[in-house]
Amino acid sequence: MIDESEVIRSPLLSVLEDLHIKYQQLQEGKLANYIPELAKVNPDLFSICVMTTDGQVFAVGDCQHLFTIQSISKVFVYGMALEEHGREYVLTKVGVEPTGDAFNSIVLDEMSKRPYNPMVNAGAIAITSLIKGSGPTERLNRMLEMFKKYIGHDIFIDISVFMSERTTGHRNRAMAHLMLNFGMIDQKIEEVLDLYFQQCSLMVNCQDLAVMAATLANNGINPITREQAVKSDYVRDILSVMYTCGMYNFAGEWAYKVGLPAKSGVSGGLIVVVPNKMGIAVFSPLLDERGNSVRGVKVCEELSQQYCLHIFDYLRGSCKFNGN
Ligand code: GLU
């Protein structure tokens, strides 16, 4: 029998537990309500999971609870498009400029007619349209295989979320038509939108998100399986757009305060990449007015500050990150 008093507590785990207790009290924010499945989620759900690039896991809260990945998927599908077409071609279809607008704004760059970046819906839909395959099934299977490399196990679609997204996604459909008009995507609009709605409806838990983030922190190599999920060459492109565009129209303030590449989604997930160190994932479905998880933002602000994680912090590297 283990004597609890003799167990050496990980300092990082204690920090995460304290943050969890502190912010569990915070009841600010609202559930996403554009589809019924998201509106009926338990607002108290809250988990934090950190995975280091050497595969250590620090988890608090219900890190096994499944939810849909939503916009966080955009990061990984962007990586897939870069691998399939190369940086130059992808740039002709989707820019890398932050918008300052809401994620679902129907705007394209005036001059180039490209969507502004791959993290807003228009850009993500154009990116999804680049996924190769002989038909919808092959494209979906290839995408699932890509996600599996990051997560380390099979991943499944929440069919009711997918059906709701598809039934209510008029705005996304309008954007797709606008991009068809400008030749940014091709004729198969409904197939592209289905694949986009499917990628948003993939089920993950907080620990899955942490390993995905840790894979990006580890130059594209999954720290657990050691599999290369995305070519190292493209990790810097992915992290750059996460840094400038990953937090909806809060991206600038996030970069200023937290200073790390990140991506959030409307179901309340948030991933943060600390290059060469760790991936951080938080899940809490109460969202602020920009669509970011309220508790998720708070937790990451504190972690960044406490461990000097901001990439431009002059103290970076000198604050002790002591996971052990
Ligand atoms: N399925 C959502 C949409 O495309 C994703 C939104 C999000 O997570 O930002 O509208």
Side-chain angles (χ1 to χ4, degrees):
M1 177 116 161
I2 299 171
D3 176 355
E4 282 290 326
S5 63
E6 285 181 11
V7 174
I8 301 168
R9 306 278 303 149
S10 143
L12 175 60
L13 188 59
S14 301
V15 168
L16 298 183
E17 284 170 347
D18 289 348
L19 287 172
H20 193 265
I21 292 168
K22 178 172 173 187
Y23 288 114
Q24 183 77 66
Q25 327 284 330
L26 184 65
Q27 298 292 332
E28 282 168 24
K30 290 200 176 90
L31 295 170
N33 61 4
Y34 71 98
I35 53 172
E37 288 77 8
L38 295 182
K40 61 186 185 219
V41 168
N42 175 358
D44 292 331
L45 286 166
F46 181 26
S47 45
I48 312 171
C49 186
V50 171
M51 183 178 286
T52 58
T53 48
D54 61 2
Q56 299 178 71
V57 182
F58 304 88
V60 292
D62 185 3
C63 287
Q64 303 305 316
H65 177 85
L66 289 169
F67 51 93
T68 52
I69 189 168
Q70 295 294 348
S71 272
I72 298 174
S73 65
K74 293 169 179 170
V75 168
F76 304 95
V77 180
Y78 181 52
M80 190 175 178
L82 287 168
E83 282 195 322
E84 292 188 352
H85 300 275
R87 199 172 280 140
E88 294 314 316
Y89 181 75
V90 173
L91 256 184
T92 65
K93 297 287 177 191
V94 180
V96 287
E97 293 302 331
T99 63
D101 291 327
F103 67 99
N104 58 1
S105 59
I106 308 187
V107 282
L108 300 177
D109 183 274
E110 274 289 304
M111 305 258 286
S112 65
K113 308 300 179 203
R114 292 176 306 179
Y116 276 92
N117 68 68
M119 302 291 115
V120 290
N121 284 9
I125 293 166
I127 290 295
T128 299
S129 79
L130 297 177
I131 299 309
K132 290 183 181 169
S134 57
T137 309
E138 189 178 320
R139 285 193 280 275
L140 174 61
N141 285 338
R142 294 189 63 252
M143 193 184 272
L144 295 177
E145 279 306 306
M146 177 275 291
F147 278 104
K148 184 177 176 181
K149 286 190 200 158
Y150 280 96
I151 297 181
H153 60 76
D154 285 321
I155 180 165
F156 300 96
I157 294 168
D158 182 323
I159 297 294
S160 60
V161 170
F162 165 58
M163 293 307 287
S164 282
E165 296 276 355
R166 184 198 227 183
T167 315
T168 61
H170 310 301
R171 227 184 141 89
N172 287 327
R173 203 160 269 117
M175 275 176 228
H177 280 276
L178 192 62
M179 291 190 285
L180 173 67
N181 176 63
F182 289 118
M184 287 297 150
I185 63 176
D186 69 17
Q187 302 296 331
K188 296 182 181 146
I189 283 205
E190 289 305 323
E191 285 181 17
V192 170
L193 285 166
D194 271 358
L195 189 57
Y196 172 75
F197 295 138
Q198 283 160 341
Q199 79 180 56
C200 290
S201 307
L202 291 171
M203 290 186 289
V204 288
N205 61 35
C206 198
Q207 188 164 326
D208 293 332
L209 289 184
V211 66
M212 294 168 91
T215 299
L216 290 175
N218 197 32
N219 292 317
I221 300 169
N222 179 315
I224 306 294
T225 63
R226 309 299 307 162
E227 190 169 6
Q228 187 88 44
V230 60
K231 283 194 189 117
S232 306
D233 198 25
Y234 294 118
V235 171
R236 66 158 223 215
D237 305 78
I238 299 171
L239 296 184
S240 301
V241 290
M242 287 173 75
Y243 191 73
T244 52
C245 316
M247 295 294 286
Y248 302 120
N249 39 340
F250 182 66
E253 199 171 325
W254 171 274
Y256 187 78
K257 282 189 179 162
V258 181
L260 290 165
K263 183 74 194 92
S264 62
V266 283
S267 54
L270 168 57
I271 60 168
V272 183
V273 178
V274 188
N276 302 316
K277 277 201 165 67
M278 64 183 138
I280 303 170
V282 186
F283 170 62
S284 168
L286 289 172
L287 308 179
D288 61 25
E289 58 287 349
R290 272 113 161 200
N292 295 312
S293 167
V294 176
R295 293 183 185 125
V297 170
K298 294 276 184 209
V299 166
C300 295
E301 282 176 355
E302 287 213 23
L303 280 176
S304 173
Q305 180 141 23
Q306 180 149 351
Y307 290 109
C308 312
L309 299 176
H310 193 301
I311 54 174
F312 303 127
D313 193 329
Y314 79 106
L315 289 172
R316 188 169 148 81
S318 62
C319 292
K320 206 155 173 56
F321 167 70
N322 188 358
N324 302 302

